């Protein structure tokens, strides 16, 4: 039992040692993506406010959408970097996730002879054991505990997918706002 705990702690420590540099490597690229819609949004607002016209509200609202997307991505970036800020807290959170008594009780119950033996006989014993383990993981709600943890919530698949969608949205907003800067600038120069 002590060897299994030591192996678990070593595996978690190695995982965290790989995860933290990967998260920290995203610091500058995500910041650059945040700036993609912010710079043209500020330009569009300044052009719209420097010339009086009936369409000023349109330009300000359009720039506002870009700023909201950039702010949302900045907030998610801050949450992600907070995960990597304290290595020991991350190790403790991951260790607490995989050492819960409910998880291991459910795993042992699912691996009991009656439940594993109920699977069709033509499957191999390791496959039956893995299926029993997975039933235990699903039943114990490890994913729900993972998402409920403040330290680990930014690393959930849904949050990471959302971060990716925000990056794409900011890049698209930056392109649209870049075109808006050109159009608003031309309207300003033409006096319209």
């Amino acid at each position: 039992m002590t060897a299994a705990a030591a192996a678990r702690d070593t595996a978690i420590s190695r995982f965290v040692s790989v995860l933290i540099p990967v998260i920290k490597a995203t610091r500058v690229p995500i910041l650059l993506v945040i700036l993609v819609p912010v710079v043209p949004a500020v330009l569009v607002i300044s052009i719209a406010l420097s010339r009086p016209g009936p369409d000023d509200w349109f330009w300000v609202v359009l720039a506002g959408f870009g700023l909201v997307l950039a702010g949302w991505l900045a907030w998610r970036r801050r949450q992600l970097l907070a995960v990597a800020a304290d290595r020991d807290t991350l190790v403790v959170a991951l260790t607490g996730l995989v050492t819960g008594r409910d998880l291991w009780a459910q795993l042992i119950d699912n691996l009991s002879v009656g439940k594993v033996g109920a699977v069709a006989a033509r499957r191999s014993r390791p496959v039956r054991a893995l299926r029993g383990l997975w039933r235990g993981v699903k039943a114990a709600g490890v994913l729900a505990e993972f998402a409920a943890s403040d330290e680990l919530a930014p690393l959930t698949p849904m949050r990471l997918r959302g971060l990716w969608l925000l990056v794409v949205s900011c890049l698209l907003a930056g392109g649209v706002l870049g075109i808006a800067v050109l159009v608003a600038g031309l309207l300003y120069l033409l006096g319209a």
Side-chain angles (χ1 to χ4, degrees), residues 82-126:
V83 168
D86 189 10
R87 182 186 191 285
D88 295 333
T89 304
L90 186 58
V91 168
V92 167
L94 284 170
T95 304
L97 184 69
V98 298
T99 57
R101 297 191 72 142
D102 296 337
L103 170 69
W104 293 108
Q106 187 66 42
L107 287 175
I108 290 170
D109 184 48
N110 284 339
L111 287 175
S112 66
V113 177
K115 293 194 178 195
V116 174
V119 179
R122 58 179 187 237
R123 290 193 182 132
S124 67
R125 183 163 175 80

Side-chain angles (χ1 to χ4, degrees), residues 25-138:
T26 65
R27 176 180 295 161
V28 173
I30 293 177
L31 180 62
L32 293 175
V33 170
I34 290 169
L35 292 176
V36 167
V38 168
V39 172
V42 170
L43 289 173
V44 165
I45 290 173
S46 64
I47 291 171
L49 296 179
S50 66
R51 66 172 188 89
D55 59 349
D56 292 342
W57 64 271
F58 171 76
W59 299 111
V60 172
V61 169
L62 183 66
F65 282 129
L67 291 175
V68 166
L69 283 172
W72 193 3
L73 182 59
W75 179 60
R76 284 291 186 83
R77 174 184 175 263
R78 184 175 161 260
Q79 287 179 332
L80 188 64
L81 292 175
V83 168
D86 189 10
R87 182 186 191 285
D88 295 333
T89 304
L90 186 58
V91 168
V92 167
L94 284 170
T95 304
L97 184 69
V98 298
T99 57
R101 297 191 72 142
D102 296 337
L103 170 69
W104 293 108
Q106 187 66 42
L107 287 175
I108 290 170
D109 184 48
N110 284 339
L111 287 175
S112 66
V113 177
K115 293 194 178 195
V116 174
V119 179
R122 58 179 187 237
R123 290 193 182 132
S124 67
R125 183 163 175 80
V127 171
R128 290 185 301 204
L130 288 174
R131 287 189 182 269
L133 277 172
W134 180 241
R135 277 195 314 269
V137 170
K138 288 192 308 190

Side-chain angles (χ1 to χ4, degrees), residues 139-177:
V142 172
L143 295 176
E145 289 179 30
F146 189 79
S149 171
D150 291 336
E151 296 87 9
L152 301 175
L155 300 176
T156 59
M158 288 182 59
R159 285 279 189 91
L160 293 175
R161 190 176 319 126
L163 187 70
W164 174 249
L165 288 174
L166 280 172
V167 165
V168 171
S169 299
C170 281
L171 292 174
L172 289 173
V176 169
L177 288 170

